[in-house]
Amino acid sequence: MANHWVQQAYVKASNTDADDWFGFSVALSADGSMLAVGAPLEFSNAKGIDGDQSDNSASYAGAVYMFQRSGGSWAQTAYIKASNNRGNAQFGVAVALSSDGSRLAVGAKTESSGATGVDGDDSTSATYSGAAYLYT
């Protein structure tokens, strides 16, 4: 049987740097129109959505990049960082998308907040306790 796979795109971060681990985690919506790509060792000190990608002062903080397909082409639509971004959190080590691509879950395996439950405090009292972030 012949191979019928055809490469559709080659996707890279908008702020590519050595050792970011872009592509460590990926998630594709069920219809194939949204792609989430984690880079858990990315260094930017930005917080939230579409912040400054050039300030590399938060070692291993991590990031997630969102891409959307329109027709046959892909474009980056968002650059996502933790709201409490700090170095060594590894935000983006895991990503998951809902089937329609409207919800995103991001894991940060070494985030160090002492928060409990949902939307707790933002201390650094629980080293490497980890966290999950949800976006719509």
Side-chain angles (χ1 to χ4, degrees), residues 1 8 10 18 20 22 39 60 64 67-68 73 75 121 130-131 135:
M1 181 172 182
Q8 186 179 71
Y10 174 69
D20 280 352
F22 179 86
Y60 312 118
V64 172
F67 297 87
Q68 185 169 16
S73 63
D121 71 40
Y135 298 88

Side-chain angles (χ1 to χ4, degrees), residues 46-48 81-87 89 91 111-113 115 121-123 131 133:
K47 288 182 168 71
K81 299 287 288 187
S83 55
N84 62 337
N85 184 38
R86 289 190 190 88
F91 178 86
E111 187 270 350
S112 295
S113 168
D121 71 40
D122 191 25
S123 69
Y133 300 77

Side-chain angles (χ1 to χ4, degrees), residues 20 46 51 53-54 60 66 75-76 94-95 103 113 116 125-126 129 134:
D20 280 352
Q53 299 178 31
S54 64
Y60 312 118
M66 293 299 300
Q76 184 174 321
V95 294
R103 288 175 173 52
S113 168
T116 59
S125 61
S129 57
L134 302 174

Side-chain angles (χ1 to χ4, degrees), residues 31-123:
D31 67 359
S33 66
M34 296 296 295
L35 173 68
V37 180
L41 301 186
E42 189 266 354
F43 273 41
S44 168
N45 197 31
K47 288 182 168 71
I49 312 297
D50 294 329
D52 180 5
Q53 299 178 31
S54 64
D55 176 0
N56 281 335
S57 63
S59 302
Y60 312 118
V64 172
Y65 302 80
M66 293 299 300
F67 297 87
Q68 185 169 16
R69 180 178 50 85
S70 178
S73 63
W74 288 86
Q76 184 174 321
T77 58
Y79 169 71
I80 303 172
K81 299 287 288 187
S83 55
N84 62 337
N85 184 38
R86 289 190 190 88
N88 298 313
Q90 294 187 29
F91 178 86
V93 72
V95 294
L97 278 173
S98 62
S99 62
D100 66 357
S102 67
R103 288 175 173 52
L104 169 69
V106 179
K109 77 175 193 166
T110 51
E111 187 270 350
S112 295
S113 168
T116 59
V118 179
D119 296 329
D121 71 40
D122 191 25
S123 69

